[in-house]
């Protein structure tokens, strides 16, 4: 049977919007700490807060918007999120102290939470059901690309232009994202259905119950990646491998770009277990290699293994989160998944930093390798043992 088309106009638009939103985030995350220190004479801890408060804002935006997307409308929510993202980018020009910069970062993060959750929900409805995992894998590459290009662009601008120019470039990218969002066509719930659902704020409705199990496993895997994302450069200094470390995320991104289309198709055909268990092993092997690294080749080999592992786990877990719910609940499922993932990447570095002071970098990566193995058991208990039944119910 012929597969439904995936690379449609609307798929490309929503992937492009997601790329532009994430590009601004990654472009600013590498320079905003230096900006706080240079412009306002902030301490290192204050600079860290300026960088990290963005994630708290993103979590807040996701918590609120997850249950509102289908009430407001998917396209309207995306336009509102991208518009708010552009407007809050303007606020960097008005900031005059560390305190106001922290507020701006929080609001900017909340806008990203709204916009990226809306984009993730929209794409889940645009992708054909028989190509869900493959499509989400391709869509997630937009974030992978931005995570490679954004930091490079931000650091290049930091060396060749003023902070105002960096903020101006961020604003230009944000406006392009907003304009692209207005061109999107996405399936919506009928107006009568939206009105019937209404909105009732309660803690129990902030999360999609069926998506929580796989989101918990994503949180565990996210901690493994947070240990790499936050500390690989400092670890490389200790090992005298700084030059090799500068290529770490380039290798990571390249491996993810090459492997995700294949793993997405494999999940659609064979189920999530066939992808998740090998990827957990690859992630664990990459972390073991990182714990024992002695050369540049070993460091970059670890990057490749971690890319094959976590880089594919992230998209597979996301695909599972939206496949286990009804179409009307995909918005809340998307929000739930990214709340857990953002929490691991946002709060993980602080918690892991406390551990490093006690056990050191090598022992930390050994511990994270053990956690990656535990992800296999957790996934099986929380979802994997039900895969055969769920696939039978879907007609696979």
């Amino acid at each position: 049977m012929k597969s439904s088309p995936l690379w449609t106009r609307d798929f490309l638009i929503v992937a492009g919007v997601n790329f532009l939103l994430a590009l601004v985030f990654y472009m600013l995350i590498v320079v905003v700490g230096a900006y706080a220190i240079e412009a306002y004479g902030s301490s290192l801890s204050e600079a860290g807060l300026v960088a990290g408060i963005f994630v708290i804002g993103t979590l807040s935006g996701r918590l609120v918007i997850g249950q509102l997307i289908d009430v407001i409308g998917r396209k309207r929510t995306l336009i509102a999120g991208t518009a708010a993202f552009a407007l809050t980018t303007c606020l960097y020009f008005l900031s005059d102290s560390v305190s106001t910069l922290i507020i701006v970062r929080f609001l900017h993060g909340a806008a990203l939470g709204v916009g990226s959750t809306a984009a993730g929900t929209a794409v889940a409805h645009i992708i054909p059901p028989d190509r869900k995992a493959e499509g989400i894998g391709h869509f997630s590459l937009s974030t992978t690309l931005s995570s490679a290009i954004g930091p490079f662009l931000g650091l290049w601008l930091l060396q060749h232009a003023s902070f105002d120019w960096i903020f101006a470039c961020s604003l230009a990218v944000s406006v392009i994202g907003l304009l692209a969002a207005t061109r999107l066509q996405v399936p919506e719930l009928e107006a009568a259905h939206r009105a019937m659902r209404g909105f009732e704020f309660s803690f129990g409705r902030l999360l999609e119950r069926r998506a929580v199990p796989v989101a918990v496993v994503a949180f565990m895997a996210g901690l493994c990646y947070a240990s790499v994302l936050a500390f690989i450069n400092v670890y490389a200094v200790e090992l005298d491998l700084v030059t090799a470390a500068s290529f770490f995320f380039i290798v990571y991104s390249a491996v993810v770009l090459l492997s995700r289309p294949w793993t997405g198709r494999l999940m659609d055909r064979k189920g999530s277990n066939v992808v998740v268990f090998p990827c957990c092993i690859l992630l664990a092997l990459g972390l073991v290699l990182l714990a024992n690294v002695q050369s540049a080749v070993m460091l970059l080999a670890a990057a490749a293994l971690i890319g094959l592992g976590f880089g594919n786990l992230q998209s597979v877990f996301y695909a599972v989160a939206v496949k286990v719910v009804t179409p009307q609940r995909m918005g809340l499922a998307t929000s739930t998944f990214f709340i857990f993932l953002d929490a691991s990447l946002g709060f993980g570095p602080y918690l892991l930093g406390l551990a490093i002071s006690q056990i050191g970098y090598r022992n930390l990566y050994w511990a994270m390798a053990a956690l990656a193995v535990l992800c296999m058991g957790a996934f099986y208990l929380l979802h994997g043992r039900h895969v055969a039944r769920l696939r039978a119910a879907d007609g696979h």
Side-chain angles (χ1 to χ4, degrees):
M1 188 174 66
K2 189 177 180 181
S3 297
S4 304
L6 174 61
W7 295 97
T8 61
R9 167 187 173 276
D10 292 317
F11 178 84
L12 292 172
I13 288 175
V14 75
V17 170
N18 191 66
F19 168 78
L20 295 171
L21 290 173
L23 183 68
V24 172
F25 164 67
Y26 283 108
M27 191 162 56
L28 291 180
I29 194 70
V30 295
V31 302
V32 74
Y35 174 68
I37 293 170
E38 182 176 320
Y40 306 120
S42 69
S43 64
L44 288 174
S45 60
E46 288 174 331
L49 179 60
V50 166
I53 196 69
F54 190 98
V55 177
I56 310 301
T58 303
L59 282 170
S60 302
R62 292 195 194 282
L63 280 168
V64 173
I65 205 61
Q67 57 183 318
L68 279 174
I69 289 177
D70 285 325
V71 177
I72 299 171
R74 295 156 193 163
K75 181 176 179 178
R76 289 178 186 172
T77 305
L78 181 61
I79 292 174
T82 51
F85 193 71
L87 288 172
T88 48
T89 304
C90 297
L91 297 179
Y92 287 100
F93 295 104
L94 305 178
S95 173
D96 59 2
S97 67
V98 173
S99 299
T100 55
L101 183 59
I102 288 172
I103 294 171
V104 169
R105 291 287 291 167
F106 178 85
L107 294 174
H108 201 199
L112 178 66
V114 173
S116 61
T117 301
T121 303
V123 83
H125 289 275
I126 290 169
I127 296 170
D130 61 329
R131 304 184 71 179
K132 190 73 74 180
E134 180 188 358
I136 285 176
H138 284 298
F139 173 75
S140 299
L141 290 179
S142 61
T143 303
T144 303
L145 278 172
S146 65
S147 69
I149 297 171
F152 171 80
L153 185 58
L155 292 172
W156 186 87
L157 287 170
L158 186 61
Q159 294 172 1
H160 296 90
S162 67
F163 287 109
D164 281 346
W165 272 107
I166 296 174
F167 297 140
C169 288
S170 299
L171 178 58
V173 172
S174 302
V175 170
I176 293 171
L178 170 59
L179 295 175
T182 63
R183 308 296 298 171
L184 181 69
Q185 297 297 322
V186 60
E188 301 279 6
L189 284 180
E190 294 180 3
H193 193 176
R194 290 204 303 268
M196 181 180 67
R197 290 188 66 193
F199 173 67
E200 177 186 345
F201 187 88
S202 65
F203 184 78
R205 293 189 64 187
L206 293 176
L207 302 175
E208 168 52 57
R209 178 179 56 82
R210 293 184 180 180
V212 167
V214 72
V216 168
V217 187
F219 176 87
M220 295 169 62
L223 286 178
C224 297
Y225 185 59
S227 70
V228 178
L229 191 63
F231 301 113
I232 189 64
N233 287 331
V234 184
Y235 184 42
V237 170
E238 185 179 285
L239 298 171
D240 195 24
L241 293 172
V242 177
T243 302
S246 64
F247 291 95
F248 187 95
F249 290 106
I250 294 176
V251 172
Y252 172 91
S253 299
V255 168
V256 174
L257 283 168
L258 291 171
S259 63
R260 263 196 190 163
W262 181 76
T263 54
R265 288 193 294 270
L266 183 62
M267 177 182 164
D268 282 329
R269 293 170 185 168
K270 302 292 185 180
S272 55
N273 288 347
V274 176
V275 179
V276 169
F277 296 144
C279 285
C280 286
I281 294 172
L282 289 168
L283 175 58
L285 289 174
L287 291 163
V288 167
L289 197 57
L290 207 54
N292 295 279
V293 69
Q294 295 177 352
S295 66
V297 172
M298 290 179 69
L299 185 68
L300 297 180
L305 288 171
I306 292 168
L308 285 170
F310 179 77
N312 287 295
L313 285 174
Q314 182 179 353
S315 64
V316 169
F317 289 154
Y318 178 25
V320 169
V322 297
K323 281 171 79 81
V324 297
V325 299
T326 61
Q328 295 87 352
R329 306 284 289 179
M330 283 183 180
L332 193 54
T334 299
S335 172
T336 299
F337 173 79
F338 282 108
I339 284 168
F340 278 79
L341 186 62
D342 286 347
S344 66
L345 298 178
F347 297 113
Y350 173 73
L351 300 173
L352 297 173
L354 296 176
I356 289 172
S357 65
Q358 302 296 319
I359 64 176
Y361 291 103
R362 291 189 185 275
N363 286 332
L364 173 73
Y365 289 123
W366 274 111
M368 292 298 100
L371 181 60
V373 173
L374 287 176
C375 286
M376 295 172 61
F379 182 79
Y380 177 77
L381 290 173
L382 295 172
H383 179 79
R385 57 182 173 155
H386 306 301
V387 165
R389 176 175 55 80
L390 292 170
R391 285 177 62 78
D394 286 339
H396 286 80

